[in-house]
Amino acid sequence: MLGNQSSATEFCLLGFPGSPKLRHILFATFFFFYIVTVMGNIVIIVIVCFDKRLQSPMYFFLSHLSVLEIMTISTAVPLMLWGLLLPGMQRISLTACVAQLYLYLSFGTTEFVLMAAMAVDRYVAICNPLRYSIIMNSCTCIWVVSVSWVFGFLFQIWPVYATFQLSYCKLNVVDHFFCDRGQLLKLSCDDTLFTEFILFLMAVFIIIGSLIPTSISYTYIISTILKIPSASGRRKAFSTCASHFTYVVIGCGSCMFLYVKPKQTQAAEYNRVASLLVLVVTPFLNPFIFTLRNEKFMEAFQDGMKRCHRLIKD
């Protein structure tokens, strides 16, 4: 352990306290969540790439969202699972800790930008259907996705840099299952009030900033849907954006619970539960949210399964 020193070369992750039996139960649960999340998103990516019926902007954005979900959950959950199998604390180098926090925050920021882009895409599809193919052409989609990725990775450079510029003169035990920023700030002997305030403003900018175009888009979408005379037409129009709206509510709700608070150094149990919502539960639900109520995707999935079955039989 480090004590009375100005810097740390490694950290010890405390992980989940409890008996070995409880840790094994948690391992089995989180391993199941991880495997289902990764496999579900891989299925989405493969079907979107190979089925011509899904060659549209909505599914193009969805495939990138699936890539982000796989990467986000893979930044922390494999290490968490390994820690559940090992007794005691798990050591992680400073470099690995920096990389883990940076990738986790960058992927999350990219998701929020992409989420807003998907809302605008649904707005154009429902409110301006005749101009949809012109506005949301392939160049526009590639540009939007590229900007989302670049912005996400550039935006998080300073927050991660500021976090690890602090002096860590307390014990280097992180009371979490990954390098959580709030728990890292707790280990510093510096006055982190200003840093925490700037991080709070940046979190508000990302989350609220993505919610503004999303809210405006859905205001126009709902207004347009209500003007459709037939009930079947309203149902069909709403079904095209219901999954995205559900994703927005779950994703933004869990992230606001974790990051949009002036004091970043919350209690460890609070951060641990909130992080599980963001890192494990939300990515686990998303493949089901985007596929089970999507008739076009389910048709493509069933046809793909039939083709695989015929190949196996032959």
Side-chain angles (χ1 to χ4, degrees), residues 75-76 79 92 95-105 178-179:
T75 57
L79 185 65
I92 181 171
T95 303
C97 192
V98 172
Q100 185 185 61
L101 181 62
Y102 176 67
L103 290 175
Y104 166 66
L105 294 175
F178 81 111
C179 286

Side-chain angles (χ1 to χ4, degrees), residues 16 34 98 208 266:
F16 293 89
Y34 178 69
V98 172
I208 305 301
Q266 294 285 343

Side-chain angles (χ1 to χ4, degrees), residues 28-249:
T29 303
F30 295 144
F31 181 75
F32 171 76
F33 275 41
Y34 178 69
I35 292 298
V36 171
T37 301
V38 172
M39 294 304 297
N41 282 292
I42 288 175
V43 168
I44 291 175
I45 295 167
V46 171
I47 292 177
V48 169
C49 289
F50 289 100
D51 197 295
K52 293 182 179 179
R53 289 169 292 184
L54 304 182
Q55 302 303 307
S56 67
M58 180 177 75
Y59 296 103
F60 177 70
F61 292 143
L62 178 58
S63 64
H64 278 269
L65 184 64
S66 294
V67 171
L68 284 166
E69 294 287 15
I70 293 172
M71 291 182 171
T72 300
I73 196 172
S74 296
T75 57
V77 173
L79 185 65
M80 177 187 73
L81 294 173
W82 183 247
L84 286 170
L85 291 178
L86 298 175
M89 292 177 288
Q90 188 174 14
R91 295 180 180 273
I92 181 171
S93 68
L94 175 64
T95 303
C97 192
V98 172
Q100 185 185 61
L101 181 62
Y102 176 67
L103 290 175
Y104 166 66
L105 294 175
S106 298
F107 292 142
T109 303
T110 305
E111 275 196 51
F112 274 104
V113 179
L114 195 58
M115 178 184 70
M118 292 174 74
V120 175
D121 170 72
R122 291 299 83 208
Y123 159 75
V124 177
I126 293 174
C127 300
N128 295 282
L130 298 179
R131 301 181 60 196
Y132 181 70
S133 59
I134 298 174
I135 298 173
M136 300 303 295
N137 55 57
S138 58
C139 291
T140 301
C141 294
I142 293 172
W143 182 83
V144 168
V145 167
S146 300
V147 169
S148 300
W149 282 89
V150 172
F151 177 80
F153 277 79
L154 290 179
F155 188 82
Q156 292 298 338
I157 291 176
W158 185 87
V160 175
Y161 173 79
T163 300
F164 288 97
Q165 280 297 105
L166 299 171
S167 298
Y168 294 101
C169 53
K170 299 178 183 178
L171 294 179
N172 62 336
V173 178
V174 180
D175 193 1
H176 213 290
F177 58 82
F178 81 111
C179 286
D180 175 66
R181 185 168 63 195
Q183 298 306 305
L184 287 169
L185 292 174
K186 269 188 171 183
L187 302 182
S188 175
C189 291
D190 298 337
D191 183 3
T192 62
L193 188 61
F194 177 75
T195 302
E196 290 184 58
F197 180 68
I198 297 299
L199 295 175
F200 164 72
L201 292 180
M202 295 181 76
V204 170
F205 175 76
I206 289 297
I207 298 177
I208 305 301
S210 66
L211 278 177
I212 289 173
T214 302
S215 301
I216 294 173
S217 297
Y218 273 104
T219 300
Y220 282 104
I221 288 170
I222 294 171
S223 175
T224 302
I225 290 175
L226 293 176
K227 294 176 183 177
I228 298 175
S230 65
S232 60
R234 290 195 296 270
R235 193 182 309 111
K236 184 177 180 181
F238 184 74
S239 66
T240 63
C241 56
S243 57
H244 177 261
F245 182 77
T246 305
Y247 165 75
V248 170
V249 172

Side-chain angles (χ1 to χ4, degrees), residues 40 43-44 47-48 51 53-54 58-59 62 287-307:
V43 168
I44 291 175
I47 292 177
V48 169
D51 197 295
R53 289 169 292 184
L54 304 182
M58 180 177 75
Y59 296 103
L62 178 58
F288 301 103
I289 291 171
F290 281 105
T291 58
L292 293 181
R293 297 190 62 182
N294 190 312
E295 294 180 5
K296 186 181 288 188
F297 183 90
M298 291 308 296
E299 289 175 5
F301 175 73
Q302 290 169 3
D303 291 344
M305 293 299 293
K306 289 176 183 176
R307 285 195 292 269

Side-chain angles (χ1 to χ4, degrees), residues 19-31 84:
S19 65
K21 182 178 180 180
L22 175 61
R23 292 162 66 89
H24 291 157
I25 293 173
L26 290 175
F27 173 85
T29 303
F30 295 144
F31 181 75
L84 286 170

